[in-house]
Amino acid sequence: MDKKGKALVTGANRGLGKAIALELVSRGFDVIAGVRNPDTAIDLLEQARSLPGTLVLERMDMAALGDYQPPADLRILVNNAGYRGPYLPIEEAGMDEWRRTFDTNFFGLIDLTRRAIPALRNHGHGLICNIGSLGAYVPLPFYSIYRTSKVAVAALSEGLRIELAPFGVRVIEIPIGGVDTDMLRTGIAHRPPEAIEYELYRPMAQSQAAMSETARTNALAPEIAARNVVDEMFRPGPLRRACDPNAVNGLPHIDATTEEERLQGMLQKFGVESA
């Protein structure tokens, strides 16, 4: 694929999405930065102004795309936008929270991707990069809403890779293990899960909070992670790629173990036996 052209990055107003957008602009791409509120991304325009490529802001709510259509000359789609709500026991998580998570993390991603495929296919060498989560492959309590949405993205990535291969459209998934963004700093790596408020689940939630040191200490700066992500866009290889230390260590472990082995290992960490 030519290392130039038009790219669309969702969730580009902050964190990893912002860093990926700027990295692409620095390499000469013309980037559309999809953001829910352009007023929150004015500094992104300023930072991109002196770089080789160009950047424009596009108001984009992944849960309500309306009649938005990606440009006909799109070369790269980076599905980065995401939402993660509270860490709750499944029985206490209302359906509104499930729908809110899936509307952004999965259904919105699917809708935008299906609209972008014709443009990517017409070039014969397009790319879809789905930003996933290493947590999709790790059975964790109180993480099921967000994790399930990312498992769905992983399955979707597999299907897309096969379906679009005949047209020269590449698909990669980047499962994030630890990048120093607002999502990480407000996440379980830095605070106890909301499940700790429920007496029945409090012991497990307290143990969960004590297990979060690794993600916190190994977190990579967004700018470095973004450089790694964009490098992977132009590198041949497997569907799933690591961009941070936790994923570098975690993906080989996932490949070398079964789902049941990982489940039993997690049960042992929490000191419980499978029913």
Side-chain angles (χ1 to χ4, degrees), residues 170-238:
R170 296 172 54 239
V171 179
I172 63 173
E173 178 198 348
I174 310 286
I176 302 301
V179 177
D180 189 15
T181 64
D182 288 346
M183 183 170 280
L184 179 69
R185 288 190 292 270
T186 60
I188 206 167
H190 288 266
R191 62 176 178 81
E194 284 83 355
I196 205 166
E197 301 297 326
Y198 297 89
E199 184 176 356
L200 286 173
Y201 293 100
R202 188 167 298 140
M204 185 174 288
Q206 290 171 331
S207 297
Q208 172 90 335
M211 291 167 54
S212 302
E213 180 68 21
T214 300
R216 186 163 60 245
T217 57
N218 289 341
L220 203 62
E223 296 77 16
I224 299 174
R227 192 179 312 141
N228 295 340
V229 169
V230 177
D231 282 346
E232 291 298 336
M233 292 181 186
F234 305 106
R235 184 176 294 149

Side-chain angles (χ1 to χ4, degrees), residues 8-13 31-38 41 44-45 55-61 65 67-71 112:
L8 169 59
V9 182
T10 66
N13 64 312
V31 174
I32 301 167
V35 297
R36 289 185 64 185
N37 182 1
L44 177 58
L45 284 175
L55 185 141
V56 297
L57 300 179
E58 181 76 46
R59 188 183 299 276
M60 189 174 299
D61 183 348
L65 286 173
D67 58 359
Y68 176 77
Q69 287 296 327
L112 181 61

Side-chain angles (χ1 to χ4, degrees), residues 18-28 223 226-227 230-231:
K18 177 179 179 179
I20 291 173
L22 289 171
E23 182 65 26
L24 286 166
V25 175
S26 75
R27 301 194 192 197
E223 296 77 16
R227 192 179 312 141
V230 177
D231 282 346

Side-chain angles (χ1 to χ4, degrees), residues 135 137-144 147 188 208 211 263 266 270:
Y137 307 97
V138 181
L140 289 170
F142 319 127
Y143 197 64
S144 294
R147 181 185 177 225
I188 206 167
Q208 172 90 335
M211 291 167 54
L263 181 61
M266 195 60 68
F270 285 103

Side-chain angles (χ1 to χ4, degrees), residues 155-170:
L156 177 70
S157 300
E158 293 173 352
L160 285 170
R161 182 164 187 176
I162 296 171
E163 290 183 14
L164 300 182
F167 311 111
V169 179
R170 296 172 54 239

